[in-house]
Structures are given as structure tokens and as C-alpha cells.
Amino acid sequence: MGGKYATETLEATKGGIARAAEILRAGGLVAVPTETVYGLAARADKADAVARIYEAKGRPSFNPLIVHVSSMERAKKLANFEPEAEKLAAAHWPGPLTLVLPRKEGTGLADAVTAGLPTIALRMPDHSVMQALLVEAGVPLAAPSANRSGFISPTSAQHVLASLDGRIDAVIDGGECRSGVESTIVAVRPDGSIEELRPGPLSIAGDAVGKSEIEAPGQLASHYAPGKPVRLHVTMPEPDEFMIGFAQVAGDCSLSASGDLEEAASRLYACLHEGARSDKPRIAVAPVPTEGIGKAINDRLGRAATPAD
Ligand code: AMP
Ligand code: MG
């Protein structure tokens, strides 16, 4: 695609992971499969490496990053775990749950990782490749989704290359992501109360939603945008619309013909990428129930359908 870097595609093997760890230790950027979406990893303890994430993504600097760790021991070096946070981590880590916790002083992490907030977002991913990479790299890795800021998240190495080829050092091709939507983000306050900042694969805090934009800058109204108009809750598409179906509502592509919400989540971004690539100037999406992971699907669809300012 032409760009600053000759982006390497690495295999999800011991050799590929060793090469990725070498690039990361040197301060480079590597896109890595996780169980949610592909992340764009850099070492979180080097300001210039973190700065390169923001540059490659075109991400606003007020939007902090999730720090990925391989162990509870490592996580506790970075944040204060109240008993409630400890319980959540014990129940759901490794897994698609990000905890926003009071950050410790003197951790050595780059300030840009937390965008100057007194809190830090931590996650222990449930994916063998990301886990192996964290262990091999030996440092916490900051990793937002591996896409240009504001656009559709990647669930395959091809999606990553479609937006970041030439802008990053490498991508590890680990096939398609299992879950397909980004982690649930939950803040645990010093008083032990819990606030859900972003719905995701896990339902933790009922229907509570984050209130402040600084606290959850990723909750911007327009995000995950395919670059053309998106119309929701459609059962009869117009001729110029690329139709994304669900259950009995058919389409040019279907989230899940059997109406399975887990399958729909795993196919959400692939369908949006297909719609973005199609000749049709608009995208329509069938209704998806808001139960369980359907809440996260509708959250992402709502923001994909909101035009950027
Ligand atoms: P992404 O990595 O693109 O999936 O986005 C990461 C999300 O984590 C964004 O929505 C951020 O707002 C959120 N996040 C990261 N750090 C914090 C933090 N310290 N407090 C609240 N939200 C955070
Ligand atoms: Mg993202």
C-alpha cells in the first residue's frame, strides 16, 4: 500500500511470536490477534513506542489505551485492586473484561498510555498468541484496536492490513477473532462501586453506563464507521443498500442466519468491512435483539450509523 514501513506478516508460531517480541522490545508496532479484536501492540513503558500507536491510528491523544498483562502479579504492579476488582479479575481473567482502576505511582509506564488520567485500563487477554507474546516481550503492552481511529475494528489480519499496511512493523496472522467485539470495560471506584463504561462480550454491571466523556473517550458518538451511511433496524433494504441480515432477515451477508447472537458478534466487523468494500453506496442492517452480547452489538452499530462531525 506504500507507507513508512514494509509491514511484515508473521505466522502465529513460536518463530513468528519471537520475531514480534523482538520488534516490540525495540519499540516497534505489531498487530496481534486477541479473543476480542486484533490489537495494535507497543511496549507501554516507552513513550516513543506509545506515541507511534497514536500516530499510526490517527488516534486523538485524549483517548487512553488498554494495557495488556500476562499475569495478576504484573497487573498488581500497575494498579490498586480493591476487593471488588480482585473478585472480578478472579472470575473473568483471562477474558474480555477490561478493568479501569486507580493507577499506581512510579510504574514506569508512559504517561500517554493513560492520557494523564489517575486511572489505568487493564486486561489479561484469553488468547494463546497474545499471552505468549506478552510473556516473550516481558513488558506490559498497550494495545488499542488495530485500525485507523474511528473506523471499523479488525477481526482478521486482512482487516488490519486494509487500514494499517505500511504504517506498522508487523501483523501476526492468527486467523479470525473468536468473540469479535471489544472487551467489556468496567470501572471499579475506590469505594468498590462498579460502573460499566462500555458494553462487551461479558455482562457485568447491568445497564449502568459511563457518564463522562473523559472517563470513556472511546464512547464517542461516531466510531466503528464504514465510511458510508448506515441505516439500522431494516427489514426491507433499498436497491442501493448493502444489506446485513440477521436471523430470518436475509442479506448480502448475514450476521447469523440461525439468529445466534454470539455468532453475530463474531461476524459483525467482517460484515461491516464487506459492506464498506461493496459497490453499494449505503449499508442497511437488520434488527438485532439487545439481550446479552446483543447489547454490545447494538452499541457498536449505533455508533457505526452516526456520521462523524
Ligand atoms: P480501544 O483500545 O480502541 O478498544 O479503546 C480503548 C477504550 O478503553 C477506550 O474506549 C478508552 O476510553 C478506554 N479507556 C482506556 N483507559 C481508560 C481509563 N483510564 N479510564 C477510562 N477508560 C479508559
Ligand atoms: Mg478501537
Side-chain angles (χ1 to χ4, degrees):
M1 192 187 265
K4 250 162 115 178
Y5 306 92
T7 304
E8 296 174 41
T9 298
L10 303 172
E11 284 179 17
T13 56
K14 224 164 171 244
I17 291 166
R19 170 76 188 128
E22 179 184 42
I23 294 170
L24 289 169
R25 280 194 302 266
L29 298 183
V30 181
V32 189
T34 79
E35 79 277 33
T36 57
V37 302
Y38 273 69
L40 181 58
R43 54 190 298 172
D45 60 345
K46 280 257 189 288
D48 52 347
V50 172
R52 292 182 59 205
I53 291 183
Y54 284 95
E55 187 194 336
K57 282 181 62 83
R59 183 175 175 110
S61 59
F62 57 78
N63 196 353
L65 306 175
I66 295 171
V67 175
H68 294 68
V69 292
S70 57
S71 68
M72 197 60 196
E73 190 193 346
R74 183 71 82 163
K76 284 187 170 169
K77 289 194 176 135
L78 304 175
N80 291 319
F81 280 72
E82 298 300 326
E84 201 52 45
E86 184 104 37
K87 254 192 261 167
L88 285 170
H92 301 291
W93 280 3
L97 173 68
T98 295
L99 294 174
V100 169
L101 305 172
R103 97 178 259 198
K104 280 195 171 159
E105 297 288 330
T107 58
L109 293 193
D111 283 336
V113 167
T114 51
L117 295 171
T119 51
I120 182 168
L122 285 180
R123 181 165 109 78
M124 192 191 296
D126 183 16
H127 193 289
S128 58
V129 173
M130 183 56 149
Q131 273 286 351
L133 186 62
L134 282 163
V135 170
E136 183 96 17
V139 286
L141 298 175
S145 53
N147 55 276
R148 298 293 293 266
S149 184
F151 293 95
I152 312 169
S153 298
T155 53
S156 70
Q158 289 69 35
H159 294 161
V160 173
L161 291 170
S163 79
L164 295 177
D165 193 12
R167 301 179 67 84
I168 62 177
D169 295 288
V171 54
I172 302 178
D173 188 347
E176 282 172 21
C177 299
R178 219 160 50 229
S179 171
V181 293
E182 298 80 356
S183 58
T184 305
I185 304 181
V186 163
V188 184
R189 305 299 175 204
D191 67 359
S193 65
I194 288 172
E195 201 177 343
E196 185 180 275
L197 301 179
R198 175 172 76 185
L202 287 172
S203 301
I204 302 285
D207 290 327
V209 286
K211 291 165 200 82
S212 113
E213 276 203 352
I214 296 170
E215 271 266 286
Q219 302 303 309
L220 298 174
S222 176
H223 212 77
Y224 316 107
K228 49 179 83 168
V230 177
R231 195 162 67 94
L232 303 181
H233 312 293
V234 175
T235 49
M236 288 286 292
E238 304 291 335
D240 67 344
E241 285 176 325
F242 177 91
M243 179 67 194
I244 299 177
F246 177 76
Q248 68 276 24
V249 181
D252 299 297
C253 149
S254 178
L255 293 170
S256 169
S258 65
D260 177 338
L261 287 170
E262 302 285 337
E263 183 184 21
S266 74
R267 291 184 41 75
L268 173 66
Y269 292 126
C271 285
L272 283 171
H273 275 282
E274 207 178 314
R277 275 196 313 269
S278 91
D279 294 336
K280 304 265 178 79
R282 301 192 295 146
I283 296 172
V285 189
V288 176
T290 51
E291 306 136 26
I293 199 168
K295 188 173 140 197
I297 296 172
N298 279 287
D299 169 74
R300 306 308 190 270
L301 282 173
R303 284 182 281 136
T306 303
D309 294 334

